[in-house]
Amino acid sequence: DNGEKSDEGYQKLMKLASVQKMGTDVRKAVFLVMMQAEDYMDAIEKLLKLGLKGTEAREIVRVAFHCCVHEKGYNPFYSLLITHLCTLDKNHQFTLRLCIWDALKEVDGWADAGDAGKSKIGNVARMMSHVWVHGALSLSLLKPIDIEQLGDGGRLCVELAVRGLLQSA
């Protein structure tokens, strides 16, 4: 029965949402839309239909960034989604800046977490490169960051991001 299959799929996604710490109804809704979308444009269309405003709308970028970081390998879906959202609303740019700054504070812990940690660092770096290349954020993102105060993981992340930007130029 098709209803049972879709219900089973929904239950799996809800379990995954829980594993990914999507603790609020808004975060769960955003997560479900992203996981069920055909592509990033389909996701954007459906996310906008959620009608989220203010702080709730910020959850879209936070959830997408979280998912990008925690994928086993880099998935451009999240970078495409976030880049497009940043062109629609400057508030998304601000939220993305905060997400990246927060990630740069955490990456040193990731550097010691084996392959999974290195994958997270690489995913953040590739996200940063993507948003720079496509104009969603400028290099001024790095201005408030004291590179010398970053640990090995943070410096590696910034280095990989800048390298990605230069390679695409």
Side-chain angles (χ1 to χ4, degrees):
D1 181 53
N2 216 13
E4 285 178 24
K5 283 184 183 176
S6 64
D7 192 48
E8 185 180 313
Y10 176 80
Q11 292 304 321
K12 283 182 179 179
L13 283 175
M14 287 304 288
K15 186 173 182 177
L16 185 58
S18 179
V19 168
Q20 290 295 321
K21 297 177 175 62
M22 300 296 143
T24 67
D25 289 343
V26 170
R27 287 178 68 87
K28 284 178 191 161
V30 169
F31 182 80
L32 289 173
V33 165
M34 282 192 241
M35 294 301 116
Q36 294 174 320
E38 293 177 29
D39 57 25
Y40 82 96
M41 289 303 292
D42 181 50
I44 288 168
E45 186 179 319
K46 290 175 179 170
L47 287 166
L48 294 176
K49 285 182 182 174
L50 291 176
L52 303 176
K53 302 286 182 220
T55 56
E56 287 184 339
R58 291 184 196 144
E59 292 298 329
I60 297 171
V61 170
R62 286 190 184 112
V63 169
F65 189 84
H66 173 90
C67 291
C68 177
V69 170
H70 289 86
E71 287 272 342
K72 285 188 174 122
Y74 176 71
N75 184 342
F77 168 85
Y78 303 108
S79 296
L80 291 164
L81 176 79
I82 288 174
T83 298
H84 192 84
L85 288 169
C86 287
T87 64
L88 299 176
D89 186 343
K90 298 254 186 246
N91 289 318
H92 292 308
Q93 290 179 342
F94 179 73
T95 302
L96 179 57
R97 282 178 177 272
L98 296 178
C99 288
I100 291 171
W101 291 338
D102 288 345
L104 288 174
K105 293 174 191 168
E106 292 181 42
V107 291
D108 289 330
W110 299 344
D112 300 329
D115 288 344
K118 289 182 178 94
S119 178
K120 288 180 181 182
I121 292 170
N123 290 347
V124 171
R126 290 186 70 183
M127 166 75 76
M128 289 169 63
S129 295
H130 184 92
V131 297
W132 285 335
V133 167
H134 297 281
L137 291 179
S138 70
L139 284 170
S140 69
L141 167 73
L142 297 177
K143 193 172 184 177
I145 296 168
D146 186 349
I147 303 287
E148 292 179 13
Q149 293 296 320
L150 290 175
D152 291 342
R155 281 194 298 277
L156 175 62
C157 186
V158 171
E159 180 184 328
L160 291 171
V162 171
R163 213 182 271 172
L165 171 65
L166 294 174
Q167 287 174 345
S168 67

